[in-house]
């Protein structure tokens, strides 16, 4: 009996230590993929009264392989420093540094948590410095919420971002935003 209690206590201690373990590195290709379908996005900027318009995005396996949750594949040439970790609670921590040229240098840190099949949230702090165009130094706290709405509508394809006014941009195209549909 004493052996069983000792084993149980050792197991509980090991589980407790595992829960307190440090975040482990996560490669871009190992980032979670969203469930295929239509995702509704809301953005809240802390301290701002501005209401950001909702957007929706059509996701499929091909677009998810090209665009991870934060779009790192598309921005690798601007954002050379990107690190991701998987926290013990399953959340993803990130730090991304980008040189946007005349728009300044940005550093974004935060976490992504939730169920990538139904609902997830990105809490992000972004600091921009040295911009020659727009405000030179800014700090923003954003909360982005993504909710799965169901299948994509007829005529939509993976990578389509549908703006509040109905225009579409496909983020997987060679030059997204070059033309609106």
């Amino acid at each position: 009996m004493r052996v069983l209690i000792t084993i149980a206590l050792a197991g509980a201690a090991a589980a407790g230590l595992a829960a307190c373990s440090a975040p482990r590195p996560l490669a871009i290709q190992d980032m979670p993929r969203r469930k295929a379908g239509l995702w509704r996005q809301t953005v809240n900027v802390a301290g701002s009264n501005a209401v950001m318009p909702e957007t929706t995005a059509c996701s499929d396996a091909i677009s998810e392989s090209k665009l991870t949750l934060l779009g790192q594949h598309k921005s690798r040439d601007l954002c050379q420093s990107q690190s991701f970790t998987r926290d013990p609670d399953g959340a993803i921590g990130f730090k991304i540094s980008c040189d946007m040229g005349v728009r300044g240098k940005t550093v974004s840190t935060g976490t992504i948590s939730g169920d990538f099949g139904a609902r997830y949230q990105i809490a992000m702090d972004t600091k921009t410095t040295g911009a020659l165009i727009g405000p030179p130094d800014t700090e923003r706290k954003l909360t982005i919420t993504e909710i799965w709405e169901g299948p994509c509508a007829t005529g939509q394809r993976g990578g389509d971002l549908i703006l509040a006014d109905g225009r579409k941009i496909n983020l997987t195209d060679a030059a997204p935003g070059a033309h609106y549909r």
Side-chain angles (χ1 to χ4, degrees), residues 96-121:
I96 302 171
S97 300
C98 307
D99 186 343
M100 309 296 285
V102 296
R103 297 193 184 278
K105 294 181 181 184
T106 64
V107 176
S108 298
T109 59
T111 59
I112 306 169
S113 59
D115 173 359
F116 301 101
R119 182 182 195 278
Y120 66 94
Q121 193 167 64

Side-chain angles (χ1 to χ4, degrees), residues 6-84:
T6 303
I7 292 171
L9 289 174
L17 287 174
C20 295
S21 64
R24 64 182 196 281
L26 182 68
I28 288 176
Q29 63 270 18
D30 296 329
M31 293 280 283
R33 305 287 187 236
R34 296 182 297 180
K35 178 179 181 177
L38 198 63
W39 288 83
R40 179 172 40 96
Q41 180 184 84
T42 57
V43 178
N44 180 359
V45 181
S48 172
N49 292 332
V51 176
M52 302 292 286
E54 286 186 359
T55 59
T56 53
C58 178
S59 171
D60 64 5
I62 294 170
S63 63
E64 287 298 292
S65 70
K66 293 179 180 180
L67 302 166
T68 59
L69 295 172
L70 294 169
Q72 298 83 6
H73 289 277
K74 293 298 259 186
S75 62
R76 223 180 271 158
D77 52 338
L78 297 175
C79 304
Q80 301 85 6
S81 175
Q82 303 178 33
S83 65
F84 303 92

